[in-house]
Amino acid sequence: MKVSEIMSRDVEIASPHQTVAEVAKCMADRQIGFLPVGDNDKLVGTITDRDLVIRGLADGLGGDAKIREVMTRDVKYCFEDDDVDDVARNMGKVQVRRLPVVNREKRLTGVISLGDAALADAAAAGAGLKKVSRPGGAHAH
């Protein structure tokens, strides 16, 4: 199964110039915990609810801090025509639960989560989740 068959397509994009409070409100309103961050039509990072807390509030930043101060800059992504099982295993290797999805022109087309992958291939998603659940990773403080 291809990523394009199961990914979420209704994706909000945060700006590195937005405030932590603005993005937190967006996440709360949409009941999500992850957003790609784009600037001038380029994917420049990702932001999670955990980033807002660990890199923002815990470091003493307020709601007026800019997303660029707390976002993950090392953007991991997958292609919409990648196989779900390969992507789920790779998510485990790089210890992320969600990935932006791009087309071959590297334009954002969606987001995939390990939850999405579990619906398509429970074994691959389980293997990915097992690795993601290890302590450490890109979001460790």
Side-chain angles (χ1 to χ4, degrees):
M1 180 174 286
K2 300 295 182 194
V3 168
S4 62
E5 297 174 59
I6 63 167
M7 69 185 189
S8 299
R9 293 180 183 276
D10 182 26
V11 179
E12 181 86 20
I13 300 172
S15 163
H17 310 292
Q18 284 182 280
T19 66
V20 165
E22 290 169 335
V23 171
K25 174 84 169 101
C26 174
M27 286 181 173
D29 290 348
R30 294 192 64 175
Q31 297 182 18
I32 56 175
F34 171 90
L35 289 172
V37 180
D39 193 24
N40 294 323
D41 201 32
K42 182 178 179 192
L43 195 58
V44 295
T46 58
I47 188 75
T48 66
D49 48 2
R50 189 171 192 279
D51 293 332
L52 297 176
V53 173
I54 301 298
R55 294 185 184 150
L57 294 175
D59 281 350
L61 299 178
D64 59 340
K66 300 297 183 191
I67 288 301
R68 70 176 163 268
E69 298 176 58
V70 297
M71 71 183 191
T72 298
R73 295 176 188 276
D74 182 22
V75 180
K76 306 290 187 210
Y77 61 89
C78 66
F79 291 101
E80 61 188 4
D81 58 356
D82 286 341
D83 287 322
V84 171
D85 58 341
D86 294 338
V87 170
R89 284 183 176 83
N90 189 49
M91 290 170 81
K93 287 178 190 170
V94 298
Q95 289 194 297
V96 296
R97 295 174 189 265
R98 300 168 210 97
L99 280 177
V101 180
V102 298
N103 61 22
R104 289 293 166 178
E105 290 77 43
K106 294 202 177 170
R107 299 274 185 234
L108 183 70
T109 59
V111 169
I112 187 169
S113 71
L114 280 174
D116 297 330
L119 296 174
D121 186 341
L129 183 59
K130 185 175 181 180
K131 291 179 181 176
V132 167
S133 298
R134 289 190 317 236
H139 298 282
H141 189 60

